[in-house]
Amino acid sequence: MDDALTADAARTDVADVTPAPGAELYPALDFADSTLALPGGRRIDLLAEPGDAARWLIERGLVPADTVLYEPCAVRLRSLRGQVRALLSARIERGPAPGDALSAVNAAMTKVASAAPLAWDPVRGLHRTAVHPIDQAVDHALAALADNTAELLTSPEADRLAACGSPPCDRYLLRTHPRRHWCSTRCGDRVRAARAYARKHRGGRAAGSEADPSDTGTEAGQ
Protein backbone atom coordinates (compact mmCIF):
# COMPACT_ATOMS: atom_id res chain seq x y z
CA MET A 1 0.00 0.00 0.00
CA ASP A 2 1.31 3.45 -0.92
CA ASP A 3 2.36 5.54 2.07
CA ALA A 4 1.04 8.67 0.34
CA LEU A 5 -2.57 9.36 1.20
CA THR A 6 -4.93 11.12 -1.19
CA ALA A 7 -6.75 14.20 0.06
CA ASP A 8 -10.01 12.24 0.54
CA ALA A 9 -8.38 9.35 2.41
CA ALA A 10 -6.46 11.74 4.65
CA ARG A 11 -9.31 14.17 5.36
CA THR A 12 -9.41 13.20 9.04
CA ASP A 13 -5.66 13.69 9.39
CA VAL A 14 -5.64 17.16 7.83
CA ALA A 15 -8.80 18.46 9.47
CA ASP A 16 -6.84 20.14 12.25
CA VAL A 17 -3.82 21.17 10.17
CA THR A 18 -3.86 24.89 9.43
CA PRO A 19 -1.79 26.56 6.70
CA ALA A 20 1.77 27.21 7.78
CA PRO A 21 2.64 30.80 8.67
CA GLY A 22 3.27 32.68 5.45
CA ALA A 23 1.20 30.38 3.24
CA GLU A 24 -1.62 32.90 3.17
CA LEU A 25 0.79 35.51 1.78
CA TYR A 26 2.75 33.34 -0.64
CA PRO A 27 0.90 30.72 -2.72
CA ALA A 28 4.32 29.22 -3.52
CA LEU A 29 4.76 28.33 0.15
CA ASP A 30 1.29 26.81 0.25
CA PHE A 31 2.20 24.88 -2.91
CA ALA A 32 5.40 23.52 -1.38
CA ASP A 33 3.46 22.47 1.72
CA SER A 34 0.84 20.55 -0.25
CA THR A 35 2.71 17.40 0.74
CA LEU A 36 3.11 16.62 4.42
CA ALA A 37 4.85 13.85 6.37
CA LEU A 38 2.91 12.47 9.34
CA PRO A 39 3.99 10.35 12.30
CA GLY A 40 3.96 6.63 11.64
CA GLY A 41 5.57 6.87 8.22
CA ARG A 42 2.46 8.25 6.52
CA ARG A 43 2.34 11.10 4.03
CA ILE A 44 -0.45 13.34 2.82
CA ASP A 45 -0.23 14.54 -0.77
CA LEU A 46 -2.91 17.05 -1.76
CA LEU A 47 -1.84 16.66 -5.40
CA ALA A 48 -1.65 12.86 -5.38
CA GLU A 49 -4.51 12.32 -7.83
CA PRO A 50 -5.76 14.48 -10.71
CA GLY A 51 -8.98 15.21 -8.84
CA ASP A 52 -7.04 16.27 -5.75
CA ALA A 53 -4.79 18.51 -7.84
CA ALA A 54 -7.76 20.12 -9.58
CA ARG A 55 -9.45 20.75 -6.23
CA TRP A 56 -6.30 22.35 -4.82
CA LEU A 57 -5.94 24.69 -7.80
CA ILE A 58 -9.65 25.58 -7.88
CA GLU A 59 -9.77 26.36 -4.15
CA ARG A 60 -6.93 28.85 -4.65
CA GLY A 61 -8.43 30.48 -7.71
CA LEU A 62 -5.62 29.33 -9.99
CA VAL A 63 -7.87 27.60 -12.54
CA PRO A 64 -11.57 27.92 -13.49
CA ALA A 65 -14.04 26.17 -11.20
CA ASP A 66 -15.01 23.61 -13.86
CA THR A 67 -11.44 22.50 -14.58
CA VAL A 68 -10.91 18.75 -14.90
CA LEU A 69 -7.31 17.53 -14.78
CA TYR A 70 -5.71 14.33 -16.01
CA GLU A 71 -2.63 12.55 -14.71
CA PRO A 72 -0.08 14.25 -17.02
CA CYS A 73 -1.10 17.64 -15.61
CA ALA A 74 -0.98 16.35 -12.04
CA VAL A 75 2.52 15.01 -12.74
CA ARG A 76 3.60 18.45 -13.94
CA LEU A 77 2.29 20.03 -10.75
CA ARG A 78 4.03 17.52 -8.50
CA SER A 79 7.25 17.90 -10.47
CA LEU A 80 7.30 21.68 -10.13
CA ARG A 81 6.43 21.37 -6.44
CA GLY A 82 9.51 19.22 -5.92
CA GLN A 83 11.69 21.84 -7.59
CA VAL A 84 10.14 24.64 -5.53
CA ARG A 85 10.82 22.67 -2.36
CA ALA A 86 14.44 22.20 -3.45
CA LEU A 87 14.84 25.97 -3.87
CA LEU A 88 13.27 26.70 -0.49
CA SER A 89 15.54 24.15 1.17
CA ALA A 90 18.63 25.63 -0.48
CA ARG A 91 17.65 29.14 0.61
CA ILE A 92 17.12 28.02 4.21
CA GLU A 93 20.45 26.19 4.26
CA ARG A 94 22.19 29.15 2.57
CA GLY A 95 23.43 26.77 -0.10
CA PRO A 96 23.63 27.11 -3.88
CA ALA A 97 20.35 26.94 -5.75
CA PRO A 98 20.03 23.63 -7.64
CA GLY A 99 20.38 24.20 -11.36
CA ASP A 100 17.54 21.84 -12.27
CA ALA A 101 15.20 23.65 -9.90
CA LEU A 102 16.12 27.05 -11.31
CA SER A 103 15.56 25.80 -14.85
CA ALA A 104 12.18 24.29 -13.97
CA VAL A 105 10.90 27.44 -12.27
CA ASN A 106 12.14 29.70 -15.07
CA ALA A 107 10.63 27.41 -17.71
CA ALA A 108 7.26 27.48 -15.94
CA MET A 109 7.33 31.28 -15.78
CA THR A 110 8.02 31.64 -19.49
CA LYS A 111 5.93 28.78 -20.91
CA VAL A 112 2.67 30.71 -21.22
CA ALA A 113 2.37 31.78 -24.84
CA SER A 114 1.17 35.28 -25.67
CA ALA A 115 0.04 34.12 -29.13
CA ALA A 116 -0.77 30.89 -30.94
CA PRO A 117 2.50 29.24 -32.09
CA LEU A 118 3.31 28.71 -35.75
CA ALA A 119 3.72 25.08 -36.84
CA TRP A 120 4.12 23.04 -40.02
CA ASP A 121 3.15 19.54 -41.10
CA PRO A 122 2.95 17.83 -44.54
CA VAL A 123 -0.84 17.88 -44.63
CA ARG A 124 -1.68 21.40 -43.47
CA GLY A 125 1.59 23.13 -44.17
CA LEU A 126 2.14 26.25 -42.10
CA HIS A 127 -0.61 26.82 -39.56
CA ARG A 128 -1.25 28.28 -36.13
CA THR A 129 -1.66 25.77 -33.31
CA ALA A 130 -4.05 26.12 -30.44
CA VAL A 131 -3.06 25.09 -26.92
CA HIS A 132 -5.50 22.67 -25.30
CA PRO A 133 -7.66 24.56 -22.77
CA ILE A 134 -6.65 22.28 -19.89
CA ASP A 135 -2.96 22.56 -20.73
CA GLN A 136 -3.38 26.32 -21.04
CA ALA A 137 -5.05 26.55 -17.62
CA VAL A 138 -2.30 24.47 -16.02
CA ASP A 139 0.39 26.49 -17.80
CA HIS A 140 -1.05 29.69 -16.31
CA ALA A 141 -1.29 28.11 -12.84
CA LEU A 142 2.29 26.86 -12.97
CA ALA A 143 3.49 30.23 -14.22
CA ALA A 144 1.75 31.99 -11.33
CA LEU A 145 3.22 29.59 -8.77
CA ALA A 146 6.70 29.83 -10.30
CA ASP A 147 6.54 33.63 -10.37
CA ASN A 148 5.44 33.69 -6.73
CA THR A 149 8.33 31.38 -5.85
CA ALA A 150 10.76 33.85 -7.38
CA GLU A 151 9.05 36.71 -5.57
CA LEU A 152 9.32 34.94 -2.20
CA LEU A 153 12.93 33.86 -2.62
CA THR A 154 14.10 37.34 -3.61
CA SER A 155 12.11 39.24 -0.99
CA PRO A 156 13.42 40.37 2.43
CA GLU A 157 11.03 37.84 3.97
CA ALA A 158 13.14 35.01 2.56
CA ASP A 159 15.33 35.45 5.63
CA ARG A 160 12.38 34.25 7.72
CA LEU A 161 12.00 31.00 5.80
CA ALA A 162 12.39 27.90 7.95
CA ALA A 163 11.74 24.19 7.82
CA CYS A 164 9.37 22.86 10.46
CA GLY A 165 11.42 21.65 13.42
CA SER A 166 8.94 19.01 14.55
CA PRO A 167 9.91 15.67 12.96
CA PRO A 168 8.67 14.06 10.83
CA CYS A 169 6.90 17.16 9.48
CA ASP A 170 8.65 18.54 6.42
CA ARG A 171 6.61 21.66 5.72
CA TYR A 172 8.08 25.12 5.29
CA LEU A 173 7.02 28.36 6.97
CA LEU A 174 7.83 32.01 7.48
CA ARG A 175 8.88 32.43 11.11
CA THR A 176 6.66 34.80 13.09
CA HIS A 177 9.11 34.74 16.00
CA PRO A 178 12.90 34.16 16.02
CA ARG A 179 12.47 31.04 18.15
CA ARG A 180 9.51 29.60 16.28
CA HIS A 181 10.46 26.69 14.08
CA TRP A 182 7.22 24.75 13.73
CA CYS A 183 4.46 25.15 11.20
CA SER A 184 1.33 24.52 13.27
CA THR A 185 -0.04 24.22 16.78
CA ARG A 186 -0.03 20.44 16.40
CA CYS A 187 3.67 20.41 15.53
CA GLY A 188 4.45 22.85 18.35
CA ASP A 189 2.61 20.62 20.82
CA ARG A 190 4.59 17.63 19.60
CA VAL A 191 7.87 19.52 20.17
CA ARG A 192 6.85 20.60 23.66
CA ALA A 193 5.68 17.10 24.56
CA ALA A 194 8.99 15.63 23.38
CA ARG A 195 10.94 18.16 25.44
CA ALA A 196 8.83 17.48 28.53
CA TYR A 197 9.33 13.74 28.11
CA ALA A 198 13.09 14.22 27.73
CA ARG A 199 13.27 16.36 30.87
CA LYS A 200 11.21 13.85 32.83
CA HIS A 201 13.33 10.97 31.57
CA ARG A 202 16.56 12.76 32.49
CA GLY A 203 15.14 13.66 35.90
CA GLY A 204 14.11 10.08 36.54
CA ARG A 205 17.55 8.77 35.69
CA ALA A 206 19.20 11.40 37.90
CA ALA A 207 16.90 10.52 40.82
CA GLY A 208 17.60 6.84 40.32
CA SER A 209 21.35 7.46 40.36
CA GLU A 210 21.12 9.44 43.60
CA ALA A 211 19.03 6.72 45.21
CA ASP A 212 21.42 3.91 44.42
CA PRO A 213 23.90 4.47 47.30
CA SER A 214 21.19 4.50 49.98
CA ASP A 215 19.46 1.50 48.45
CA THR A 216 22.65 -0.58 48.68
CA GLY A 217 23.82 0.88 51.97
CA THR A 218 27.28 1.68 50.66
CA GLU A 219 27.22 5.12 52.24
CA ALA A 220 24.53 5.01 54.92
CA GLY A 221 24.85 3.03 58.21
CA GLN A 222 28.58 2.47 57.96
Side-chain angles (χ1 to χ4, degrees), residues 70-167:
Y70 298 95
E71 182 60 16
C73 291
V75 168
R76 291 178 61 199
L77 280 165
R78 294 193 297 269
S79 176
L80 182 64
R81 180 184 62 191
Q83 303 292 7
V84 170
R85 288 177 61 84
L87 288 173
L88 294 179
S89 178
R91 179 62 177 81
I92 291 167
E93 299 296 330
R94 301 294 196 272
D100 288 349
L102 284 174
S103 297
V105 167
N106 286 330
M109 280 194 287
T110 57
K111 185 174 177 58
V112 177
S114 59
L118 181 66
W120 180 91
D121 66 49
V123 175
R124 290 179 292 175
L126 286 169
H127 61 280
R128 303 292 289 268
T129 60
V131 179
H132 191 281
I134 293 178
D135 290 333
Q136 189 174 44
V138 172
D139 286 347
H140 279 276
L142 292 175
L145 291 167
D147 181 69
N148 193 252
T149 299
E151 181 180 348
L152 169 59
L153 291 171
T154 57
S155 73
E157 290 177 316
D159 289 333
R160 296 196 289 122
L161 275 169
C164 184
S166 178

Side-chain angles (χ1 to χ4, degrees), residues 138-206:
V138 172
D139 286 347
H140 279 276
L142 292 175
L145 291 167
D147 181 69
N148 193 252
T149 299
E151 181 180 348
L152 169 59
L153 291 171
T154 57
S155 73
E157 290 177 316
D159 289 333
R160 296 196 289 122
L161 275 169
C164 184
S166 178
C169 183
D170 55 357
R171 293 206 299 175
Y172 297 103
L173 65 142
L174 287 180
R175 291 193 308 274
T176 55
H177 186 278
R179 297 184 63 183
R180 175 166 182 167
H181 284 273
W182 49 85
C183 69
S184 65
T185 299
R186 184 168 70 170
C187 282
D189 289 344
R190 192 159 61 238
V191 169
R192 285 186 284 269
R195 289 173 180 169
Y197 176 82
R199 285 194 298 269
K200 181 178 179 181
H201 189 60
R202 287 195 301 268
R205 287 191 300 179

